[in-house]
Amino acid sequence: MVVNLGQSINSPQNGTYYVNDKMRKEWYNKEDHIIENIPLTGAKSATDKFMRSLLVYTPKGLKGSVNSNFYEFLSMGAIPYVVGSATLIALSNLANKFFRPQDAYFANKAGKNMAAGVLLYGLFKWAGKTVMNKMVERSTGIDLDLPYKKNVHNLPETKNDKNLTSVEFHKVFESVDFPRWDLIEKSGDSKNDRYYYYDKITKKMGYKDKLNSPDQIAQPKIKEVVSKTKAAGNISSYLWAATGVALGAQKPFVTFFEHFGQRPVGKMLKTLPKCAFNTVKNSFIDLVNGPSKKSNFVGRILVGASLLSTVFGWANAIKNFKAKEHKTEIDFNKNFKECR
């Protein structure tokens, strides 16, 4: 049987079965496929994963479902992180009203710094790895955060269960050993060129002309870049997380919370981006130019180490990425006699 996805007539003809756009879309949605990586994609998939962890994966695990898997187990790791962060903030702030006025004043300052540190820990940890990935993508064309939607076919748990499926959000290069090459080749371009993605990579590598089998050249190099970036990203992300905690301990964040706590909600939201930017900027200045030489030294070392880890991780990832010229003694422009 031959299936022609390019036609819109839904009728058998000469052994060929034609499908319309609706059928094509249904088949596409039932298969694993790469999704567009726009700024909101990560936020949507993270929100979907967290809500499923809370409302679906946890009940499944507690019931001992045969369909619980390792992906769901890893996704549920966000729950203790969020609960623990909220508990840490609450313990640092809720008891302040029981203190004497002077003690409550200093406790409130410490509580606000704790809340800022917890929030900035997660934000800077994510930002540190994301910035490095974007730098690597700019230099090599390899999007380490390239997402895809996976459709999982589950086992029936009751006699009435039929066609049970669930959706998971993964990244094409989340496994260094087994990237989803099949999805890359299926994505192609408007002409359904299976080498479209690899042609972009080999062009970045320095090959001017299209290669007959660019995947043979690009795939090993992609795995090398992904491995290097992941290793450096783990180090850099935690250094930036520590920098975020240090920024949250600075005085500008106490002023930030006090300032916004006394303003109407509408006006507060309107000026939030500008005030948040200025608060982070002033906190960086205070961290680097602390009240003492000792704090200056520690702050500068922390910020410098975070920046260097990002630059070093990017430089190491793109090292040897460019194709090397192979010298040969053969003159390909010379005429040779045919051997018989």
Side-chain angles (χ1 to χ4, degrees), residues 238-291:
Y238 281 103
L239 283 173
W240 279 111
T243 302
V245 174
L247 289 176
Q250 305 306 309
K251 186 178 179 180
F253 272 98
V254 177
T255 307
F256 174 80
F257 284 115
E258 290 177 348
H259 176 69
F260 274 90
Q262 300 172 356
R263 305 185 70 183
V265 177
K267 196 170 184 180
M268 178 183 71
L269 294 175
K270 185 177 180 180
T271 57
L272 180 61
K274 183 179 179 180
C275 288
F277 174 80
N278 289 331
T279 300
V280 173
K281 181 185 72 173
N282 294 331
S283 294
F284 262 112
I285 294 173
D286 286 0
L287 180 61
V288 174
N289 302 315

Side-chain angles (χ1 to χ4, degrees), residues 32-161:
D32 298 353
H33 59 273
I34 294 174
I35 55 180
E36 187 179 7
N37 190 12
I38 58 177
L40 288 178
T41 301
K44 288 181 179 179
S45 61
T47 302
D48 178 85
K49 186 183 295 186
F50 179 74
M51 295 306 297
R52 289 176 185 270
S53 300
L54 201 63
L55 303 176
V56 180
Y57 301 157
T58 300
K60 280 176 64 177
L62 292 174
K63 288 190 300 184
S65 171
V66 295
N67 292 311
S68 292
N69 57 33
F70 192 58
Y71 169 85
E72 297 177 359
F73 168 75
L74 292 178
S75 299
M76 288 189 290
I79 297 176
Y81 176 81
V82 172
V83 173
S85 299
T87 303
L88 191 60
I89 294 173
L91 289 175
S92 304
N93 291 277
L94 293 181
N96 296 347
K97 62 181 180 181
F98 299 108
F99 299 156
R100 291 179 301 177
Q102 186 175 3
D103 295 335
Y105 171 76
F106 290 105
N108 281 326
K109 291 180 64 176
K112 289 180 174 66
N113 285 132
M114 179 64 73
V118 170
L119 295 175
L120 291 176
Y121 173 90
L123 179 63
F124 274 59
K125 183 182 177 184
W126 166 82
K129 184 176 291 187
T130 301
V131 168
M132 184 185 296
N133 288 352
K134 291 299 180 184
M135 291 171 65
V136 171
E137 182 185 359
R138 187 70 180 269
S139 301
T140 65
I142 304 169
D143 183 3
L144 281 87
D145 296 315
L146 187 63
Y148 76 91
K149 181 179 177 182
K150 182 177 181 180
N151 293 281
V152 180
H153 300 280
N154 295 323
L155 298 171
E157 298 187 29
T158 66
K159 62 180 181 180
N160 296 323
D161 290 339

Side-chain angles (χ1 to χ4, degrees), residues 267-328:
K267 196 170 184 180
M268 178 183 71
L269 294 175
K270 185 177 180 180
T271 57
L272 180 61
K274 183 179 179 180
C275 288
F277 174 80
N278 289 331
T279 300
V280 173
K281 181 185 72 173
N282 294 331
S283 294
F284 262 112
I285 294 173
D286 286 0
L287 180 61
V288 174
N289 302 315
S292 65
K293 291 184 178 180
K294 185 176 181 181
S295 62
N296 280 350
F297 178 76
V298 174
R300 290 172 183 176
I301 287 294
L302 183 57
V303 174
S306 301
L307 289 170
L308 283 175
S309 67
T310 301
V311 175
F312 172 79
W314 164 76
N316 184 59
I318 66 173
K319 182 181 178 182
N320 299 326
F321 178 75
K322 293 291 185 179
K324 296 181 179 179
E325 294 184 5
H326 298 281
K327 295 182 179 180
T328 177

